[in-house]
Amino acid sequence: MEKVINYLKDNFDAYLDELKDYIRIPSISTLDTHKDKMVECADYVAKQFESAGMEKVKIFPTKGHPLVYGEWLKQPGKPTVLIYGHYDVQPVDPIDLWVSDPFEPRIADGKIYARGANDNKGQNFVHLKAVEAFMKVTGSLPVNVKFLFEGEEEIGSASLAEFLKTEQELLKCDCIMISDTSMYAPNVPTITYGLRGLLYMEVEVTAANRDLHSGSFGGAVANPIIELAKMISKLHDKNGKIAIQNFYKNVQVPTKKEKDNFKKLKFSDKAYAKDLAVKELQGEKGFSTLERLWVRPSLDCNGIIGGFTEKGAKTVLPSKAMTKISMRLVPNQDPEKIAKEFAKFFKSISPKSVTTEVRKLHFGPPAVAPLDSPGINAASNALAKAFGKKTVFTREGGSIPIVVDFMRQLKAPAVMMGLGLDSDDIHSPNEHFRLENFEKGLYSAAYFLDELAKQ
Ligand code: BES
Ligand code: MN
C-alpha cells in the first residue's frame, strides 16, 4: 500500500496535467452544438480506462451521449466494485462572471478553477489514477473493478437508465462507488448516504396571440408575465410549505438516530448566512437548516423569461412568459404523481385571461443507501486513513438521478465518497476543486480498493 501511495504522491503533478486535458474538452451535455465534444470526451475517457489497465474497454453509443465501459476481473472470490462517473458538465453561463476561460484550467490559491474541475471530472479522475497506480506498482488490483462513465448525468441520465435495463450481467457488482458529492466541511471526510430526487418542470403562459403595443392594449389584455408571477407566488404558503396538493403525502420522517446525528454535526446557521451574504435564512417553518436541505423537499424557480430584457426600454405587452421550476424530492415522494399534481395546481389557479401549459422535462427519484455495507465500511476506513480523521455520515440536498436505478437493477449498495465542497461553486461561474482534496482523493480511492479486499 505504501508503495502505491508514494507512487501517487510522486505523480501528482503529472496527474494534474492530465486532468487539465480532460477538462479542456467542453463536454456540455445539454447543448446540441456540443455533440462532437461529447464524443471526443468519451474517447478521452476510454483512453484513460485503457491506461488504467482496464480490459474490454468499449464505447457504447446511445440515443444521447456515449457510455464508456472497462473492466479488470482477475480476482475471483474478491468483491467487484463498479466505479461510476460522469464526463458531462453544465453550461458555463453567465460567462462574464468567470475570472478566466471556463475550459482553460487555472491554478490559484491551492485550487483548480474550471467547469468540471469538481463536478465531476476532478472527482472521477482520482479513481482512474488510483487504479492505474495499483496496476503500475503491483501489476494487479486487490479487487475486481468495472468502470462506467456516462455523459448525461447533468440532463437526467436517460440513456444510462435504458442501458441498465438490459445490461445487469455486464454491470453486476457488489457495490457502486461514486465520487460526486460534497464533504461536510473542509478536511472532514464524509460519506453521503442519501440524495434528494429531482423533478423539473416548465410552465408557459400565453395571453394574446401576439406581442402588443402596451399603450394601445395595456390595461385591457392580460400580461402573461404578471399572471405567471402571481401563480409562482402561490406555490409557497406563509410558513414556507409548498401548496401543491398531496405534495407532502408519503414524505418520510427521519429517524431519531438520524436527527441526533444531524445535531452532532453542529451546523451553524450564522456562518452559513454570512458566507452567502444574506441577513437571514428562509425555509419551511419548524425544521433546521440541515433538515430543510437533506430530508425535506423544496421547490425553486430556476429561471423566468418573457418580454423585453435587452438594454434600454421598449414598450410592449408580451404574448408569452415562461418559467422553469424544479423540485427536490425526498423518500417516498413519487415524482410522476407530483408532476401531475403540479400541473393540476397551475390549471386550477390560472386565470381565464391566459392559457397555461405545463411540461415535464425530467425527473430522478430520491435515494437512500444502506449504512452498513462492506463498501461503506471500506470507504469510511479509506477516507479516515487519507484525511487522518474520523469519517462523518451525511445526506445531500443535490441529486444523482441514476443512483436509485443502480441500486434496484444491480441489487448493490451505492457508496458515495464525495470529495467536493458545497463552497466549490459547481454549476456556477468559477467552479473549482481543492488540490488538497484532489490529492487526498487519490489516496482515498487507492485505500478504498485495499480496504474493500479486506472486508
Ligand atoms: N454532483 C452533482 C450532485 C451534487 C449536487 C452533489 C450538489 C453535491 C452537491 C450532480 O452532478 C448534479 O449536479 N446533479 C444534478 C442532477 C440533475 C441535473 C438531474 C442536480 O442535482 O441538479
Ligand atoms: Mn452536476
Side-chain angles (χ1 to χ4, degrees), residues 205 207 222-232 349-351 353-354:
V205 175
N223 181 310
I225 303 176
I226 293 174
E227 295 314 317
L228 177 58
K230 284 194 221 160
M231 288 191 257
I232 292 172
I349 59 171
S350 173
S353 53
V354 299

Side-chain angles (χ1 to χ4, degrees), residues 110-130:
K111 297 166 190 142
I112 175 166
Y113 287 84
R115 174 58 86 232
N118 170 326
D119 183 9
N120 173 250
K121 289 172 175 170
Q123 293 209 51
N124 63 48
F125 206 65
V126 303
H127 294 285
L128 294 168
K129 294 300 144 186

